[in-house]
Amino acid sequence: MTVGVGLIGAGVISAHYLGNLTTFPDLQVRFVADIDLDRAKARADEFGVPAFGTVEQLLADDGIQIVVNLTLPSAHAEVDLAILAAGKHVWSEKPIATTVEDARRVLDAAEQAGLRVAVAPDTVLGAGLQTAFRAIADGRIGKPQTATTMVLNPGPDRWHPAPEFLFQPGGGPLLDLGPYYLSTLVTVFGSVVRVSAVGSIARPQRVVESGPRAGTTFAVEVPTHSALLLEFEGGASAQATFSFQSAIPRAGFVEITGTDGAIVLPDPNMFEGASELWTTESWKGVTGQDKPVPEVIEAVGATAGRGLGVLELARAIRAGVPERASGALAAHVLDVMLAAETAAASGTSVAVSSRVRAPEPLPADWNPAERTLA
Ligand SMILES: NC(=O)c1ccc[n+]([C@@H]2O[C@H](COP(=O)([O-])OP(=O)(O)OC[C@H]3O[C@@H](n4cnc5c(N)ncnc54)[C@H](O)[C@@H]3O)[C@@H](O)[C@H]2O)c1
């Protein structure tokens, strides 16, 4: 039996999800809901989903076991709690919530109801990062010790038709892009125990630059540049920069150095991409002005895109095993991001108390296109 899926929030990212979820043989997408019914109908029609309507109508469908929550960060917790109250499992877009308390309420409600909450990013399940994780787990760089990550761009006011939420609490480059980079680092190094940070706002107002509302001015409420220093349990450390105020586009910069080598990971906001492995081998025979050459590790695994995590959750529920993109991992990442905001505002380093176990790498032959659920 396939697992029935409903989707709430028919905005920009829903097209990516529906394009993939409707092709996975283990899932059946049954319903699209939104507070804007025209939007829900348009997406349902576009992707051949049989029904659309309100959130209440979606939650009344007994054939739906997992609800995909693609609403705005400020609504994630409230919508998750309604999904759980209806007896259904949750896949939520990131961040899990905008406060530590709300994230806790969601996880507690799930535990009490015996239901699951899994949270984006599912890029960590994609072929690119999974191949890098397997190389690290195989000891190719020795013991991982330090990391440098960076993502810079001018900001989503350039391309998003309703970008305000990305400049309000729950947004900013830290909470919008941080989950991709920090979930990657936590998967490699384990829990973060302490954070220092600085943050700044370059321009207090921005203008919507694309779509029907182009020209609309709005206020920037959170830092648009955040630079973090992270300390992990076990002593590893990382620096991470997130910026919506750079004219230089730099996406996907993640380098991890270990005792025996270093690895450049593919973009953690993507599902594919090769890794570069640098070891003493890369420097063999290099003299004078010669350049060392890394080993390129081509990605092996699933590249299907957003929605992979929904499928992994469905298969994990049926198998009775933990899902990999867990709510606990997302809640820890939120703790880290909010600790960084506190650190930047107070000029102190801030301890992070939550702990999480890094998920196991996916088997290289894990295949979304296969029908596995009888
Ligand atoms: N846009 C992207 O490229 C992108 C990429 C990755 C993740 N995300 C995440 O996906 C989520 C949605 O982003 P988006 O860009 O699609 O936003 P969006 O504004 O385009 O769409 C959000 C949709 O949710 C609906 N909505 C809001 N509150 C609701 C509620 N309480 N009940 C029902 N519907 C509700 C809105 O009407 C809207 O149609 C965010 O958490 C964002 O961080 C977006």
Side-chain angles (χ1 to χ4, degrees):
M1 270 270 285
T2 54
V3 173
V5 173
L7 185 147
I8 302 177
V12 172
I13 204 61
S14 65
H16 295 249
Y17 271 89
L18 286 166
N20 295 320
L21 293 176
T22 52
T23 67
F24 298 153
D26 279 344
L27 303 180
Q28 185 202 17
V29 184
R30 295 171 61 91
F31 203 108
V32 178
D34 199 293
I35 40 180
D36 181 333
L37 290 181
D38 291 341
R39 244 184 241 175
K41 179 178 182 339
R43 280 286 188 253
D45 288 350
E46 188 181 348
F47 292 96
V49 178
F52 73 94
T54 64
V55 172
E56 292 69 29
Q57 287 168 331
L58 180 153
L59 295 179
D61 180 342
D62 290 337
I64 292 175
Q65 286 94 49
I66 297 176
V67 182
V68 176
N69 177 1
L70 306 183
T71 63
L72 301 181
S74 57
H76 284 169
E78 175 197 324
V79 172
D80 286 353
L81 289 168
I83 297 166
L84 293 167
K88 301 179 191 305
H89 304 284
V90 172
W91 170 270
S92 172
E93 251 306 328
K94 45 77 192 167
I96 180 171
T98 57
T99 66
V100 171
E101 295 73 26
D102 275 353
R104 190 71 266 152
R105 285 200 303 144
V106 169
L107 296 187
D108 287 350
E111 195 177 337
Q112 277 162 24
L115 294 165
R116 315 264 190 125
V117 174
V119 183
D122 49 3
T123 46
V124 287
L125 303 176
L129 287 179
Q130 284 288 322
T131 301
F133 295 152
R134 284 192 293 269
I136 294 169
D138 288 347
R140 302 289 312 272
I141 62 165
K143 187 174 187 305
Q145 292 185 314
T146 60
T148 306
T149 79
M150 198 190 315
V151 51
L152 317 174
N153 62 58
D157 42 333
R158 277 194 59 256
W159 59 269
H160 200 292
E164 286 89 338
F165 78 92
L166 295 162
F167 296 86
Q168 294 166 353
L174 177 57
L175 268 82
D176 183 44
L177 298 174
Y180 300 104
Y181 292 78
L182 297 172
S183 302
T184 300
L185 294 179
V186 170
T187 300
V188 173
F189 293 112
S191 304
V192 174
V193 296
R194 181 166 290 279
V195 189
S196 308
V198 288
S200 58
I201 295 178
R203 304 193 305 280
Q205 288 198 320
R206 297 237 180 179
V207 178
V208 180
E209 289 188 30
S210 70
R213 294 173 57 248
T216 310
T217 299
F218 64 92
V220 174
E221 299 175 27
V222 292
T224 43
H225 180 96
S226 296
L228 280 55
L229 288 177
L230 303 154
E231 185 184 332
F232 297 87
E233 57 186 348
S237 63
Q239 52 184 306
T241 303
F242 305 98
S243 187
F244 281 165
Q245 56 189 46
S246 172
I248 304 172
R250 282 202 201 287
F253 186 98
V254 182
E255 293 182 1
I256 295 176
T257 297
T259 46
D260 302 331
I263 188 165
V264 181
L265 272 57
D267 187 339
N269 199 352
M270 300 291 164
F271 289 81
E272 50 204 0
S275 301
E276 273 182 13
L277 182 71
W278 297 78
T279 62
T280 48
E281 279 297 308
S282 321
W283 290 85
K284 252 193 191 144
V286 174
T287 55
Q289 299 297 311
D290 289 353
K291 288 214 164 71
V293 180
E295 178 187 340
V296 174
I297 307 176
E298 296 298 342
V300 177
T303 55
R306 295 190 201 276
L308 276 186
V310 181
L311 177 64
E312 203 270 343
L313 171 65
R315 289 178 175 175
I317 291 168
R318 284 288 175 82
V321 299
E323 67 283 355
R324 286 179 169 79
S326 70
L329 173 60
H332 177 67
V333 166
L334 179 68
D335 282 355
V336 174
M337 297 188 294
L338 296 179
E341 285 189 348
T342 306
S346 65
T348 59
S349 71
V350 174
V352 177
S353 56
S354 60
R355 297 287 179 269
V356 69
R357 270 175 63 101
E360 297 291 316
L362 269 175
D365 61 355
W366 191 83
N367 183 3
E370 199 182 331
R371 181 163 194 146
T372 68
L373 302 179

